[in-house]
Amino acid sequence: MQVIKMEEVHLTEPLSLAIGFFDGLHLGHMSLINEVLKYKGETKTAVMSFDVHPLCVLKGEKRQSIITLEEKKELLEEMGIDYLLVIHFTKEVAALSPQAFIDEYLNKLPLKRLVCGYDFHFGNHNSGSIEDLKKQSFELIVKNAVMYNETAKVSSTLIKKLMDQGMIEEVNTLLDRPYKVKGTVIHGKQRGRLIGFPTLNIDYGMKYLPKRGVYGTIVEINHQYYIGMANIGMNPTFNDINRLSLEVNVFDFDEDVYGKEVEVTFYLYKREETVFNGLEGLKVQLTEDRKYLSQVMKKYLSQVMKKYLTLYKNNVQ
């Protein structure tokens, strides 16, 4: 898959294109992308998105994301999309009239068909709508919402709400993949090592973290996979940090990986964050957590290994 900045685009072959920010690549977004993939072979397939969330530019918000741009690239490539077309979002882009936006970013492409959601808006103050797109020369396909239940649609907002409740298995269903956080191992307080539970402290950047508590995870380190027990929280027993931490006790692993990038994949929520009366109470609870997770996470590790071996064999072939 090619990643192309819109100011540098020079495509000539007919395109089927899905447009949106795709800030989660969840089931709702996938309905648009799968529609585009129906035309693979007849046309080239593409996704158009912004490099940053519009509200980061318009309101100066520091938004934690469900998916990073790099993750978006990886997933779209796995799905077989030919091009990811990236708009550098600025206040000037936001101020474009609907038709100016269409002329600048759509009509300059060899666009045969455009796929978007029923509620897609664009242009100055989001004044552009489906009706503006219907007036253009390309074919327009409008997809309805994918519903979570009778009243709520699948959306990034809904997924964040579920994450806030620790409903990580439900989140994974709506994403159609396990939730992942990739980050660099940094130095922490190193208390875990004192009680036999050394942890990797992960710099998670601007990724959105689930509810505080303990989770069953699979951790990828140097292309090897391990069961891990992740804790998200503020260390309330000691109360000496000012930002949520992500720490992972990796089972059957004891190597120095400071400065290396690891990937933590969340599968289940074990318990809430708890205040303990000192290190001994914490050690007793962690022992119970580890015993439980070492058993229930085996099936997930097996699934990951099967997928990894399949991808490896396909790449070798």
Side-chain angles (χ1 to χ4, degrees):
M1 183 184 74
Q2 285 185 260
V3 181
I4 307 174
K5 297 177 182 178
M6 278 304 297
E7 59 266 27
E8 300 173 357
V9 68
H10 297 288
L11 298 176
T12 57
E13 297 181 85
L15 279 181
S16 295
L17 172 73
I19 188 170
F21 183 57
F22 302 108
D23 55 341
L25 275 187
H26 50 62
L27 291 177
H29 296 145
M30 295 296 294
S31 70
L32 276 64
I33 295 167
N34 286 331
E35 183 68 30
V36 163
L37 287 170
K38 290 180 182 179
Y39 302 98
K40 191 174 179 65
E42 175 194 330
T43 66
K44 290 293 185 178
T45 58
V47 168
M48 182 180 287
S49 187
F50 300 120
D51 56 352
V52 296
H53 196 287
L55 291 180
C56 293
V57 174
L58 297 176
K59 295 187 177 181
E61 293 184 5
K62 292 184 178 179
R63 294 179 65 91
Q64 292 178 301
S65 60
I66 294 174
I67 186 173
T68 65
L69 183 59
E70 286 303 313
E71 290 172 325
K72 192 181 297 185
K73 293 174 185 176
E74 291 174 8
L75 288 167
L76 292 173
E77 184 164 25
E78 285 179 13
M79 293 163 60
I81 290 293
D82 295 311
Y83 304 112
L84 172 59
L85 307 179
V86 181
I87 298 173
H88 176 49
F89 192 83
T90 63
K91 290 184 178 179
E92 290 71 28
V93 172
L96 292 173
S97 70
Q99 190 58 49
F101 181 93
I102 292 170
D103 290 339
E104 180 67 22
Y105 296 113
L106 298 178
N107 287 339
K108 286 185 178 180
L109 297 171
L111 189 57
K112 182 167 184 178
R113 65 179 56 85
L114 179 70
V115 180
C116 66
Y118 74 100
D119 57 352
F120 179 63
H121 287 83
F122 57 96
N124 192 23
H125 295 293
N126 275 338
S127 56
S129 69
I130 301 301
E131 296 306 312
D132 296 285
L133 297 172
K134 287 180 179 178
K135 301 172 185 177
Q136 311 307 311
S137 60
F138 47 76
E139 176 188 352
L140 179 65
I141 300 175
V142 180
K143 301 294 289 184
N144 292 327
V146 174
M147 300 304 291
Y148 170 64
N149 55 32
E150 293 182 358
T151 58
K153 69 174 184 177
V154 177
S155 67
S156 297
T157 299
L158 172 64
I159 288 172
K160 286 182 177 181
K161 286 181 179 178
L162 294 172
M163 290 175 73
D164 291 343
Q165 298 170 48
M167 299 176 65
I168 198 67
E169 292 175 89
E170 196 81 347
V171 167
N172 291 348
T173 297
L174 299 188
L175 290 175
D176 197 32
R177 64 183 184 277
Y179 189 67
K180 297 182 179 182
V181 175
K182 185 181 291 187
T184 303
V185 179
I186 58 177
H187 289 277
K189 301 293 184 180
Q190 298 187 334
R191 289 196 191 93
R193 192 169 296 277
L194 296 176
I195 56 175
F197 291 88
T199 61
L200 306 183
N201 196 299
I202 313 298
D203 180 0
Y204 55 88
M206 292 303 293
K207 282 283 284 191
Y208 199 87
L209 293 184
K211 177 182 178 179
R212 297 183 192 183
V214 174
Y215 292 81
T217 63
I218 300 296
V219 186
E220 181 187 356
I221 307 172
N222 296 328
H223 305 294
Q224 298 292 321
Y225 295 91
Y226 306 87
I227 295 173
M229 177 169 63
N231 182 79
I232 295 172
M234 298 293 291
N235 292 347
T237 301
F238 306 97
N239 194 30
D240 58 357
I241 61 174
N242 55 20
R243 184 178 188 247
L244 277 180
S245 68
L246 169 58
E247 301 176 74
V248 189
N249 173 238
V250 184
F251 300 176
D252 303 314
F253 181 84
D254 187 21
E255 297 178 23
D256 183 353
V257 289
Y258 286 118
K260 292 190 176 181
E261 190 174 70
V262 302
E263 187 174 75
V264 183
T265 305
F266 291 78
Y267 286 91
L268 61 88
Y269 178 63
K270 171 63 170 61
R271 63 172 174 84
E272 293 185 346
E273 185 178 47
T274 305
V275 179
F276 295 95
N277 293 322
L279 289 175
E280 191 56 37
L282 175 59
K283 181 177 180 179
V284 170
Q285 181 61 61
L286 290 176
T287 300
E288 190 278 325
D289 293 336
R290 179 168 178 148
K291 181 179 179 181
Y292 173 80
L293 291 174
S294 65
Q295 293 299 315
V296 299
M297 289 301 298
K298 286 180 180 178
K299 65 176 181 179
Y300 297 111
L301 181 60
S302 177
Q303 292 170 6
V304 170
M305 292 305 299
K306 286 180 181 178
K307 180 179 178 181
Y308 176 78
L309 289 172
T310 300
L311 290 173
Y312 175 78
K313 289 177 181 178
N314 290 341
N315 289 334
V316 170
Q317 293 173 355

